Amino acid sequence: MSDLLKRLNEVNDVKIWSVYDEEFNSFGQVLKGYDVSELIEYMEANTDIPDDGNVYVPSEEPMELTHIARTIKSVIYGGMPIQIGYCNGRNSTYNGFEYHKCSEINIAVTDMMLVLGHSYDIENCHYNNDDATVFFVPKGTMIEMYQTTLHLSPLKVCDEGFKAVVVLAEGTNTPLSTKEKRERDTIINSIANRNHEDQDMETELLLARNKWVIAHPDRKPLIDQGAYPGIIGDNKELFY
């Protein structure tokens, strides 16, 4: 156990694992053997950490033109179109989760933490925050999170904040069009009118393209965006 991971466990009341521990296996895998230095160098030189909150950019063209981008598209996503962006910030709370219908690749430009859960543990649009698991991701580590993995932005492990590369299927996390929103709302209303207990309520969580979100009622920024207020339990914060 690294000194940093040891300290994180000492100052928090939840267990924090490493992504190199077997506890990560149901959430994703560490991807080894890829040279991601192009992306890390670009992130270090050309992106900033905001003074407050997080910034997420779905697509950053210079990163998408790198050699490693072509490798990720060809090998990891099997030739499917991808987007490469980033998430930088100073987040220290976990009170919201999202998932996609594709794997997500993260590259830790700095040390950081991730809070993860399983989408199949969502019941009737509700998820218990106590079921989530916290993982430490060392700087330079490249991970794949499976499509059934609940996650949101990383969490900082130092005052300066975090930087992470984010790779997803092209179009993910971009806004729904007016037509797509109308279709979503029509389906939600249809389900509500039928009121069948066996109906799939997942459409309630659809917030953007290929982005299903569930939030703690106290997570106002997400709620204001239209996220479903379905997280049960405490609005939690992690320390470092």
Side-chain angles (χ1 to χ4, degrees):
M1 179 184 296
S2 69
D3 290 342
L4 178 52
L5 180 55
K6 182 179 179 180
R7 187 176 83 241
L8 291 172
N9 275 288
E10 289 172 348
V11 299
N12 288 284
D13 60 3
V14 297
K15 173 67 177 179
I16 300 173
W17 303 93
S18 167
V19 289
Y20 290 93
D21 293 328
E22 64 179 15
E23 282 76 12
F24 185 62
N25 292 349
S26 66
F27 300 100
Q29 62 175 325
V30 176
L31 299 174
K32 301 176 181 178
Y34 294 93
D35 181 1
V36 296
S37 57
E38 287 177 285
L39 297 177
I40 291 176
E41 289 169 5
Y42 179 87
M43 288 283 293
E44 290 176 337
N46 299 282
T47 70
D48 297 319
I49 297 173
D51 292 334
D52 185 45
N54 298 336
V55 59
Y56 171 64
V57 176
S59 177
E60 184 82 349
E61 185 176 17
M63 292 201 291
E64 294 171 347
L65 296 176
T66 59
H67 177 76
I68 186 61
R70 295 191 293 273
T71 299
I72 293 171
K73 175 182 176 180
S74 299
V75 177
I76 299 176
Y77 283 87
M80 294 293 291
I82 62 170
Q83 63 190 31
I84 301 181
Y86 62 89
C87 183
N88 296 349
R90 300 178 186 271
N91 179 49
S92 62
T93 60
Y94 63 101
N95 44 28
F97 294 97
E98 68 180 7
Y99 63 96
H100 317 290
K101 297 302 176 71
C102 66
S103 287
E104 175 173 327
I105 306 301
N106 280 183
I107 301 168
V109 180
T110 65
D111 292 329
M112 64 187 194
M113 291 183 285
L114 287 169
V115 183
L116 307 179
H118 294 117
S119 61
Y120 46 76
D121 287 331
I122 297 175
E123 296 184 3
N124 297 318
C125 293
H126 287 81
Y127 177 79
N128 193 322
N129 224 14
D130 291 335
D131 293 335
T133 306
V134 185
F135 291 94
F136 173 65
V137 190
K139 177 180 179 179
T141 304
M142 180 181 185
I143 64 168
E144 174 186 2
M145 292 185 289
Y146 303 140
Q147 73 171 40
T148 52
T149 296
L150 298 174
H151 60 281
L152 205 60
S153 69
L155 287 77
K156 64 182 179 180
V157 296
C158 65
D159 290 338
E160 289 74 20
F162 66 83
K163 289 186 177 184
V165 177
V166 180
V167 185
L168 283 159
E170 187 176 306
T172 299
N173 291 332
T174 59
L176 293 166
S177 67
T178 301
K179 178 181 178 181
E180 289 165 337
K181 289 180 180 178
R182 189 182 305 118
E183 290 175 346
R184 176 199 59 187
D185 294 342
T186 298
I187 293 171
I188 290 174
N189 291 333
S190 175
I191 292 173
N193 291 335
R194 289 197 297 269
N195 197 29
H196 291 170
E197 291 184 359
D198 60 348
Q199 288 292 335
D200 180 9
M201 299 298 293
E202 184 182 46
T203 309
E204 290 270 12
L205 308 181
L206 182 62
L207 188 61
R209 286 179 176 164
N210 196 23
K211 180 186 181 78
W212 288 262
V213 180
I214 187 167
H216 193 282
D218 292 341
R219 182 78 181 256
K220 192 174 185 301
L222 274 181
I223 299 298
D224 289 347
Q225 292 176 39
Y228 189 88
I231 290 184
I232 303 167
D234 295 334
N235 184 347
K236 297 187 177 184
E237 182 173 8
L238 290 177
F239 304 96
Y240 53 91

